[in-house]
Amino acid sequence: MSAGQTLVLDPSARLPFVTPLVLSNLAKEHGAETPDLSFEVNAPTSLKKAASSNGADTIQGAVDVLRALASMYANVGLMGANEAESNAVDAYLVQSDALATAPFQAAMQCADDLDQHLALRTYLVGFRVTAADAAIWGAIRSSSPLLGIIKKHAHAHLARWYAHVDALVAFSSAVTMMAEAKSNMFKNKKTAAGFDLFLQGAKEGQVVTRFPPEASGYLHVGHTKAAILNQYFAKAYKGRLIVRFDDTNPSKEKQEFEDAIIEDLALLGIQGDVLTHTSDYFDQLRDLAVRMIKEGHAYADDTPQEQMRAERMDGIPSKRRDASVEENLSHFQAMCDGTDEGRAWCLRAKMSVDNPNKAMRDPVMYRCNADVPHQRTGTKYKAYPTYDFACPVVDSLEGVTHALRTNEYHDRNPQYAWFLSTLGLRNVEIWDYGRMNFVYTLLSKRKLQWFVDHGIVNDWSDPRFPTVRGMRRRGMTIDCIQQFILSQGPSQQIINMEWDNIWALNKRLIDPVVPRFVALAEDKLVKATIAGAPPAHEKQVPKHKKNAELGMKTTVYDGRILIEQADAASFADQEEITLMDWGNVIVRGKTTTPDGVVTNLELEAHFDGDFKSTKKKVTWLAQPSESRHLTPVMLLDFDYLITKKKLEEEDNFMDYLTPQTRFETPALADANVAALKEGDQIQFERNGYYILDKAQGVDGRREFIKIPDGRAASSASKAAPDENPEQKKAAAAAARAQKAAQKEEKKKQKEAKAANGSKPASSSSDPVQQLIDEGTKNINMYAAPLIQQPTDVPVKST
C-alpha cells in the first residue's frame, strides 16, 4: 500500500483527526503495508494514490477515509469477523461523524446507549479491536461534552472501555505522532516568521547573502550560526549565497584553513552559489583608496600604534590628519611598494576625531605587510586593506543585499555605511544577530591556537575544541547542529548557553538509530559462576530492540560470566538481580578481600523470575575462552579546557586552565564491537553513547569517545568549583518531593470537600451547564499508562 497510497491529515486543527492513524497503526501491528503519511496544514482528510495529482482516485472526508482504510485492512479484522459484525462496524463509523459534534443532550443519550452496550463487552464489536472502537474513541476525544460525561464516572462501562483503548499502543502512538507533527508545524512557522520579521526589504529572487570566513583557523560552533543563517535566508527568498574568504591578513591565513573550512561547510550541507576571495578585488580596493585620498577622505599616518590607540580613545587628532593630498599619495605608494619608509605608515579614513562612537574615529583602512607572501597573490601586494574597509566595499561590489553580522559589530555599522556613502556605492542592509557563546568555552581563534601550539590538544579537530571537526569527532551530528542553530531564532541578545541543550538534542537524534553493545571496565573485573545455567551457546539478538533495521548481533550465554566491580560490590547476600537481556539470578555467595574488593561471585539461575521485582539490572559478558574472545577497548571522556563558565574581559584564560581534561578507562567489550568502523556511533548499555574514534589506538585497543547526553551531570565541569552535580541532583529530588507532597495535599483537600458535600463553584446554577463547562475545560483528562500487549487480546470486564 505504501508505494501507491498517501494518507493526508491536517495537524493544525485544535483537536486533529487521528482515527485514520489508529487504523494504520493497527494494520501495521498485523504486518500489513500502510499508506505513506503527509501532514498538510488546512488540508482535508484524504486518501489518495501517488498518481492522482488531478484529484482522481482520491477519497476525501472522515467517514469515507475510515471506510476505505477499514475495508483495505478487513483481512486483519478491522471490519469484524463476519458480515453481521461488518455491518455493525460500518454503522459505528457513520455514528462517529455525528457524535463528534453532538450537543450535550444528544451526547448524553449516546453515552447512555454505549454504556449499556459495553456492560458485558471489552470492545464495541466482536472480541477484538475493530475500526468501530477507533472511530467512536476518536469521536469522544473530539467532543467536550462526552469527555466531561466520562469524567463524571456515571458511565462506568463506557469509561472503562475508553481508558482501555486510549492506552493501547496503536491509539496512544497515533496521538503522539499527530502531536509531534503539530509541534513541528508551529516550530517551523515560528522560526520562519521570526527570521523574516528582521530581514528588511527582502524580495523573493533578489536576496544575496554572504558568509565571509577568515582562513586563520577552523570553523567553530559560533561560525556555524553565521553560515546556517546566511544559507537559510538565501534559500528562503530563492536568492544566492556567496562564500567569500576574507584573505586580507597573510600573516594569519593558511591554505590548510581554507581547505578545511570548505570541507566543514560541505559537511554542514552549505554550498555557496559562488566562491570568492577579497583578494579578487585588491586592485579595485587600492584604486578606491587612492580616490579617497584625492577627495580628502583618507590620510597616511605613521603614529606609533599605542599612541594612535590612546589618541583615538581621548579624541585627539593625529598630527598627520591635515597632510596634503600629495604627501598622502606619496606615503601610500611607499606602503604599496613595501619600502622601509612605507612599512612605518598606515592609511586612515578621515571620518571623525571625537565621535561618541569610537568606531568612527578615523579607523585604519590599509596596513603594510611586505614580509609575508599572500597565499593566493604571493608578493604582488605589499599593503592590504583592513576588514573594516574591504567588507562594505566588496559586499556592495558583489551585489550583497543583506549583510548578516553579529552584534559585536553593531558600533561599526555607521562606519560600514560611511564607506559606502562616501564612495557612492550601492547600499547594503545590515542585519544584526546575537553571537552564540557556550559556558566553559573559548571561541577566540588566537586562544584556541595557543592550546594547539602548547600541545594541550593535538590539533584543531580535538574533541575538546568547539570546532565543527572537534564536535563531530565527539559524536555531534550535523542534523543536530543545523536544527539547534535554527531553533535559536533571530535573537539579537548575546547568548551564553549551557552545552546540555545541544547535547540533549543530539541524543534524541541518535538514540533511535545507534546499536547497543556491552563494555565492562577492566579494573577489578569479577568472575561469576551461575549454577543451573544452560551449556554455553550463542544467540542472535537485535542490535536495537526498537529498531529492527539495525540488524542482529551475536550474544554468548555461559554459566561463567564477568561483572563490573562496582556492581558486584553492591550485591547483598541472597539478593535477586537481573542480568540484562538474559534473566534473573540469585546471589548465593560472594568472596571479598580484606579491603572489600570482590573477587568471586556464586550465582544461582532463576531466569524465569520477574525482572520488574529486582532493583538491580546489570550488564555482563561471558568469560572469554580459546574459541571466543572479547574486544579490548579504551573508553575516553573529556572535560572543558577552562574552569570558569564565562571569562570577563580582564580575565587571563591561562589562569583558569583545567588540570586534567582527558580521562581513560580500559574496558572489555563484546566481540561484535570488533566489526565497527571509525565514526560509527553506538551505545554501551548502562554506560552511555560512544563514537569509535580510532580502530587501532594505544596498545591496539579500539578507542571510543563518550558522547555527552545532555544530562546535567554529563555536561557539568569535572573540575570547576561552581559545579556540583550531586548537590544539584539532590536539590532536584527535593523539589520533586515537595511538588508531590503539595499535589497529595490538594488531593486530600478535594476529597474532604467531596465528603462534606461541597460542590465546586460555577458561573451557572444549572447542573447540566456545569457539566458542559467542566467537560469543555478538560479535553485531555486521561494519562493512562501504555499497555504493552497486542491489541487483539481481550480485556476482562468486571
Side-chain angles (χ1 to χ4, degrees):
M1 302 295 181
S2 61
Q5 304 253 10
T6 301
L7 179 60
V8 180
L9 299 172
D10 175 19
S12 65
R14 185 176 67 87
L15 285 173
F17 186 48
V18 298
T19 307
L21 271 179
V22 175
L23 298 185
S24 179
N25 289 343
L26 289 170
K28 190 179 294 184
E29 287 183 356
H30 289 83
E33 290 187 71
T34 57
D36 294 328
L37 281 177
S38 177
F39 294 106
E40 301 177 15
V41 177
N42 297 325
T45 300
S46 58
L47 183 66
K48 59 185 180 181
K49 292 184 178 180
S52 60
S53 58
N54 60 354
D57 300 322
T58 296
I59 301 170
Q60 285 191 357
V63 175
D64 290 339
V65 168
L66 292 182
R67 276 178 170 160
L69 289 171
S71 299
M72 194 184 299
Y73 303 122
N75 61 320
V76 299
L78 293 191
M79 285 298 291
N82 51 51
E83 186 178 355
E85 289 186 2
S86 179
N87 291 334
V89 170
D90 190 70
Y92 278 116
L93 295 182
V94 175
Q95 183 186 6
S96 68
D97 192 42
L99 187 58
T101 56
F104 179 81
Q105 285 78 6
M108 180 65 82
Q109 183 60 53
C110 287
D112 291 340
D113 295 342
L114 289 168
D115 189 66
Q116 185 177 356
H117 178 75
L118 289 163
L120 298 175
R121 292 179 173 87
T122 300
Y123 300 107
L124 288 170
V125 178
F127 299 100
R128 61 180 59 194
V129 67
T130 65
D133 298 286
I136 297 301
W137 166 85
I140 292 175
R141 194 174 174 275
S142 301
S143 168
S144 298
L146 278 169
L147 288 172
I149 289 168
I150 289 177
K151 190 182 180 186
K152 281 296 182 182
H153 299 296
H155 299 75
H157 306 299
L158 177 59
R160 178 258 307 159
W161 166 86
Y162 183 85
H164 168 59
V165 296
D166 191 57
L168 294 175
V169 174
F171 290 70
S172 60
S173 63
V175 175
T176 301
M177 290 168 66
M178 186 63 81
E180 289 178 352
K182 190 170 186 176
S183 174
N184 290 335
M185 176 195 71
F186 282 117
K187 181 178 71 175
N188 294 338
K189 183 178 179 182
K190 180 179 177 182
T191 299
F195 286 138
D196 295 348
L197 179 66
F198 290 87
L199 199 57
Q200 297 179 354
K203 295 180 180 178
E204 187 169 303
Q206 298 181 23
V207 169
V208 179
T209 62
R210 89 296 193 254
F211 175 58
E214 182 185 14
S216 58
Y218 286 71
L219 282 188
H220 59 57
V221 65
H223 298 129
T224 62
K225 182 172 184 178
I228 290 172
L229 289 184
N230 274 287
Q231 176 169 267
Y232 173 86
F233 284 123
K235 285 189 173 181
Y237 289 99
K238 299 179 182 178
R240 294 192 308 129
L241 169 66
I242 298 171
V243 174
R244 181 205 310 144
F245 282 96
D246 175 48
D247 54 346
T248 56
N249 188 350
S251 297
K252 291 183 177 180
E253 291 138 14
K254 297 179 182 177
Q255 190 63 42
E256 166 201 349
F257 294 140
E258 181 172 324
D259 294 341
I261 289 171
I262 293 173
E263 290 175 11
D264 289 346
L265 287 174
L267 289 173
L268 288 168
I270 295 171
Q271 185 171 2
D273 295 280
V274 62
L275 176 68
T276 67
H277 295 76
T278 301
S279 55
D280 297 336
Y281 301 89
F282 276 175
D283 288 338
Q284 289 168 272
L285 287 164
R286 184 176 57 187
D287 291 344
L288 289 171
V290 170
R291 180 180 134 198
M292 287 182 67
I293 293 173
K294 291 178 177 179
E295 293 176 355
H297 298 305
Y299 63 95
D301 194 355
D302 64 346
T303 304
Q305 189 177 41
E306 290 300 322
Q307 181 182 340
M308 185 186 299
R309 184 178 293 117
E311 288 177 351
R312 290 189 70 203
M313 291 297 292
D314 296 335
I316 300 172
S318 167
K319 62 183 179 182
R320 304 292 187 184
R321 197 170 196 269
D322 295 322
S324 67
V325 170
E326 291 72 19
E327 288 179 297
N328 290 325
L329 287 174
S330 174
H331 292 310
F332 183 59
Q333 186 60 51
M335 289 172 57
C336 294
D337 293 340
T339 64
D340 290 339
E341 180 192 357
R343 295 167 190 250
W345 293 78
C346 69
L347 187 69
R348 298 177 66 179
K350 203 170 185 179
M351 289 187 189
S352 172
V353 173
D354 55 1
N355 192 302
N357 179 356
K358 294 183 174 62
M360 297 294 289
R361 296 183 180 179
D362 292 3
V364 175
M365 292 171 51
Y366 258 86
R367 287 193 176 93
C368 186
N369 190 346
D371 298 323
V372 181
H374 189 279
Q375 61 178 10
R376 295 185 74 237
T377 61
T379 57
K380 179 179 179 181
Y381 302 98
K382 309 296 184 182
Y384 298 93
T386 61
Y387 178 82
D388 286 343
F389 174 54
C391 180
V393 170
V394 178
D395 280 350
S396 185
L397 294 176
E398 287 193 328
V400 173
T401 60
H402 294 80
L404 278 60
R405 293 157 48 117
T406 57
N407 50 19
E408 63 189 299
Y409 287 98
H410 184 74
D411 287 346
R412 299 190 191 182
N413 289 350
Q415 178 195 96
Y416 182 105
W418 184 92
F419 278 118
L420 295 182
S421 174
T422 301
L423 291 168
L425 297 175
R426 181 187 55 84
N427 186 48
V428 178
E429 291 283 352
I430 295 178
W431 189 82
D432 292 325
Y433 63 90
R435 175 174 172 163
M436 190 170 62
N437 297 323
F438 284 86
V439 296
Y440 302 115
T441 303
L442 299 171
L443 296 180
S444 162
K445 292 180 186 176
R446 177 181 60 82
K447 293 172 183 176
L448 293 176
Q449 184 69 57
W450 183 91
F451 283 94
V452 175
D453 294 341
H454 287 76
I456 296 175
V457 299
N458 297 324
D459 53 34
W460 286 80
S461 67
D462 192 281
R464 289 162 287 193
F465 260 17
T467 55
V468 171
R469 295 188 172 207
M471 293 188 298
R472 291 192 72 250
R473 189 174 167 194
R474 201 167 182 182
M476 187 173 291
T477 64
I478 294 302
D479 273 352
C480 174
I481 297 173
Q482 292 174 330
Q483 288 186 32
F484 185 79
I485 296 298
L486 289 177
S487 72
Q488 299 309 301
S491 170
Q492 297 197 14
Q493 294 182 340
I494 297 178
I495 308 166
N496 202 47
M497 307 193 69
E498 298 280 350
W499 278 100
D500 54 2
N501 294 322
I502 192 169
W503 284 119
L505 172 60
N506 192 67
K507 176 193 171 182
R508 289 199 296 271
L509 293 172
I510 67 173
D511 179 74
V513 295
V514 297
R516 271 59 169 163
F517 300 104
V518 174
L520 305 177
E522 263 188 278
D523 186 33
K524 300 172 185 174
L525 265 178
V526 180
K527 293 183 178 181
T529 56
I530 307 173
H537 63 284
E538 295 181 352
K539 185 178 177 182
Q540 294 292 305
V541 298
K543 291 180 179 179
H544 192 310
K545 294 176 185 176
K546 297 181 180 179
N547 188 349
E549 294 180 3
L550 294 179
M552 309 294 281
K553 64 180 179 181
T554 301
T555 297
V556 179
Y557 299 86
D558 194 354
R560 298 180 302 114
I561 63 172
L562 298 173
I563 293 178
E564 284 189 337
Q565 177 68 214
D567 286 331
S570 72
F571 297 161
D573 190 38
Q574 308 307 315
E575 180 179 10
E576 186 167 355
I577 62 170
T578 298
L579 300 177
M580 291 175 63
D581 298 326
W582 194 358
N584 288 3
V585 294
I586 301 171
V587 180
R588 297 303 190 193
K590 182 163 69 171
T591 305
T592 60
T593 63
D595 55 355
V597 176
V598 181
T599 57
N600 189 63
L601 284 173
E602 295 177 11
L603 310 174
E604 181 181 331
H606 187 218
F607 294 141
D608 295 329
D610 183 8
F611 69 90
K612 293 181 180 178
S613 65
T614 61
K615 294 182 179 179
K616 294 166 187 168
K617 293 154 178 71
V618 301
T619 46
W620 56 277
L621 288 171
Q623 292 183 28
S625 64
E626 291 184 4
S627 60
R628 62 174 187 259
H629 305 281
L630 297 178
T631 306
V633 299
M634 183 67 74
L635 306 182
L636 303 176
D637 196 9
F638 298 94
D639 198 1
Y640 301 106
L641 292 170
I642 58 174
T643 60
K644 189 173 182 180
K645 271 193 171 184
K646 182 178 182 296
L647 292 180
E648 305 301 333
E649 287 188 14
E650 64 274 10
D651 287 336
N652 184 342
F653 73 93
M654 288 182 279
D655 295 334
Y656 299 95
L657 298 181
T658 305
Q660 182 181 357
T661 58
R662 178 185 168 105
F663 302 87
E664 300 179 350
T665 302
L668 292 176
D670 65 70
N672 300 283
V673 169
L676 296 175
K677 306 183 297 297
E678 289 185 1
D680 284 349
Q681 295 178 328
I682 64 168
Q683 184 189 55
F684 283 130
E685 297 198 78
R686 293 182 66 228
N687 201 328
Y689 302 91
Y690 286 83
I691 181 170
L692 179 57
D693 186 54
K694 293 180 180 177
Q696 194 79 7
V698 179
D699 299 329
R701 289 179 179 267
R702 309 196 120 214
E703 293 187 356
F704 288 86
I705 292 176
K706 188 164 190 176
I707 305 173
D709 58 12
R711 291 180 302 152
S714 71
S715 300
S717 168
K718 298 174 176 60
D722 59 342
E723 290 283 4
N724 190 334
E726 294 304 320
Q727 186 178 0
K728 289 181 178 178
K729 195 183 297 182
R736 287 194 299 270
Q738 183 180 7
K739 187 175 181 179
Q742 292 172 346
K743 187 176 180 181
E744 185 64 26
E745 182 62 27
K746 287 182 180 179
K747 182 180 177 182
K748 290 180 180 179
Q749 291 175 358
K750 188 175 181 181
E751 291 173 350
K753 284 183 180 179
N756 293 331
S758 62
K759 297 180 180 179
S762 174
S763 60
S764 171
S765 59
D766 180 0
V768 174
Q769 186 60 44
Q770 289 181 14
L771 191 58
I772 295 174
D773 292 342
E774 186 170 343
T776 303
K777 293 178 182 176
N778 296 277
I779 301 302
N780 301 307
M781 76 290 287
Y782 284 102
L786 295 182
I787 298 176
Q788 300 293 344
Q789 66 182 49
T791 57
D792 56 356
V793 177
V795 176
K796 295 181 180 179
S797 303
T798 56

